[in-house]
Amino acid sequence: MDDYTTYPSGLRLSGRRVVVVGGGHVAQRRVPHLIAAGADVHVVSPRVTPAIEGMVGSGELTWHPRGFTDTDLDESWYVVAATDDRAVNEQVSEAAEARRIFCVRSDDATRATAWTPAVGRHAGVTVAVLGQREPQRSAAVRDEILEGLREGTIVARHQRDRSPGVVLVGGGPGDPDLMSVAGRKALMEADVVVADRLAPRELLGELPADVELIDVAKLPRGRSALQEEINRVIVARALAGKRVVRFKGGDNFVFGRGYEEVLACRAAGVPVTVIPGLTSPIAVPAVAGIPVTHRGVAHEFTVVSGHLPPGHPESLVDWSALGRLTGTVILMMAVENAPVIAAALVDGGRPASTPVAVVCDGTMPGERTVLATLGTLAAELAAHAVRPPAIIVVGGVVAVAHPAHFA
């Protein structure tokens, strides 16, 4: 193994073109770290996973839906060959070599000119471990270092729990630094990770190579995994003796359908535990500088799912009652229905001048806040091309956070 001695180096890829050839789960693990580094990421593949498609839709990378050509590497600084076709990966390697571009190979590390280390971050420290083509060993060493950093002792060791069962992990609003230590530990102990699109995606790149990753992304008005199928998968893997982590964004039990998964596990006799996560309707406004309550302004806040519009026969929301409240209303999954919701709140008694904040991609690199009122919300959403995911905050607390705008 010593024949493959490497020279470790930290690459500064911000604004530089990086090409990932392949759109499967290997690419899905690598892309978030490249985006986090600020790279101009281009994915070349006829097909991509739903999670990568979601990154395309949010403008975080460029997708070329076709096969690879050598000229894809022109003006590039780094390339990842991540297809399941050895001939294509070899073509990528040769094109990179001709252009003096370092190339990572997912299929054969001996044919690569660069290796992806097991990476983790804590308190401004990046830990990168290369175990001479032994990814499981690399991940294990990285885990021990990170736990030592988090616990305050670098020499601490522990016995990981690998007993069969299901752990529901709330990943928080998106930023991996906002996820609990217990949640991170559960991920590293998993045999199988069943992940949503909004779970902290960079953490998927830290998983040991032998962990099975199952993508159950739900794209707004697009490809979605059925909840019944998710229930079946987590139960089946657990009954097969695997330790399964169901990895969600936010908190499992706040419009996350997590308790349906608990009931499915209990019905099958599968042990199930829950690790809560920071819930997005509170955490995202907080990170954006908006309190959901404030003395003398709001004595209550209400979290509402807006996936169904007012008047829909399946809606369980009393919109007129919400309109009569004076506190904060926080809307989730409501971008598409926001204009009719705003009208319903006004009809219920809220002034059209009520301040509104729309926090898009909260805690993520592309986070932005669009300010409006109930009366102007529809126009502002269109003017700023707002797309999910977004948290919509309605009430006087928005003016507290942005007094100049609502003066």
Side-chain angles (χ1 to χ4, degrees):
M1 302 300 290
D2 292 337
D3 293 339
Y4 297 98
T5 301
T6 58
Y7 180 81
S9 181
L11 299 181
R12 298 174 61 188
L13 296 175
S14 181
R16 294 181 166 91
R17 179 184 173 96
V18 173
V19 175
V20 178
V21 182
H25 288 147
V26 174
Q28 183 178 324
R29 293 172 186 241
R30 302 295 174 235
V31 164
H33 282 283
L34 296 171
I35 293 174
D40 175 21
V41 180
H42 292 252
V43 173
V44 180
S45 177
R47 294 167 299 280
V48 296
T49 67
I52 293 178
E53 185 179 340
M55 298 177 212
V56 175
S58 60
E60 297 177 281
L61 57 81
T62 302
W63 176 28
H64 305 275
R66 53 170 173 75
F68 172 76
T69 62
D70 291 4
T71 55
D72 286 325
L73 302 191
D74 291 349
E75 307 300 324
S76 297
W77 293 72
Y78 193 71
V79 60
V80 178
T83 78
D84 56 5
D85 187 326
R86 184 178 179 85
V88 172
N89 290 340
E90 188 65 27
Q91 179 188 355
V92 175
S93 288
E94 292 173 357
E97 187 74 16
R99 290 162 174 79
R100 298 185 178 183
I101 301 169
F102 283 105
C103 176
V104 174
R105 285 276 294 266
S106 65
D107 59 339
D108 186 353
T110 66
R111 297 288 297 159
T113 51
W115 294 348
T116 301
V119 177
R121 296 179 177 86
H122 176 73
V125 174
T126 297
V127 176
V129 180
L130 286 169
Q132 294 288 36
R133 296 188 298 141
E134 295 183 70
Q136 213 169 355
R137 178 187 179 196
S138 300
V141 172
R142 175 208 60 202
D143 291 351
E144 293 293 343
I145 295 172
L146 287 175
E147 183 163 1
L149 290 172
R150 293 175 186 134
E151 299 297 331
T153 169
I154 209 71
V155 297
R157 304 183 66 85
H158 69 283
Q159 182 65 40
R160 285 173 167 77
D161 184 2
R162 303 299 289 268
S163 58
V166 174
V167 184
L168 305 185
V169 175
D175 184 338
D177 287 342
L178 297 178
M179 184 173 161
S180 69
V181 172
R184 284 176 175 261
K185 183 172 180 288
L187 273 179
M188 295 305 109
E189 293 171 345
D191 298 307
V192 181
V193 174
V194 181
D196 276 358
R197 179 175 74 96
L198 298 181
R201 61 202 185 190
E202 291 172 43
L203 297 182
L204 300 178
E206 299 179 13
L207 296 175
D210 61 339
V211 174
E212 180 185 8
L213 174 63
I214 300 177
D215 179 10
V216 292
K218 296 182 179 181
L219 302 180
R221 304 297 181 260
R223 286 196 284 177
S224 292
L226 295 176
Q227 186 62 47
E228 292 75 13
E229 176 63 12
I230 296 172
N231 296 348
R232 187 197 66 78
V233 167
I234 63 176
V235 167
R237 293 297 195 280
L239 290 175
K242 304 295 185 180
R243 188 164 183 83
V244 181
V245 165
R246 175 69 174 101
F247 191 32
K248 295 173 176 286
D251 182 82
N252 308 82
F253 292 167
V254 181
F255 301 125
R257 303 186 70 173
Y259 210 73
E260 296 178 44
E261 295 162 359
V262 170
L263 294 175
C265 290
R266 288 178 177 174
V270 170
V272 57
T273 56
V274 178
I275 298 176
L278 286 175
T279 186
S280 299
I282 298 174
V284 166
V287 169
I290 302 171
V292 297
T293 63
H294 189 72
R295 185 166 60 91
V297 176
H299 287 181
E300 86 277 352
F301 66 90
T302 307
V303 180
V304 185
S305 171
H307 74 289
L308 295 177
H312 192 284
E314 297 180 12
S315 176
L316 302 176
V317 180
D318 187 338
W319 293 102
S320 62
L322 281 179
R324 293 193 300 273
L325 294 176
T326 59
T328 307
V329 176
I330 305 163
L331 302 170
M332 299 178 66
M333 300 177 287
V335 170
E336 181 175 346
N337 294 321
V340 292
I341 290 174
L345 292 176
V346 172
D347 289 343
R350 285 270 178 152
S353 59
T354 301
V356 178
V358 183
V359 186
C360 311
D361 295 312
T363 80
M364 300 300 285
E367 179 186 311
R368 61 188 176 120
T369 299
V370 175
L371 299 175
T373 65
L374 285 177
T376 65
L377 180 57
E380 293 296 338
L381 290 174
H384 292 274
V386 172
R387 301 181 61 180
I391 298 294
I392 301 177
V393 184
V394 179
V397 293
V398 177
V400 171
H402 297 277
H405 186 90
F406 295 100

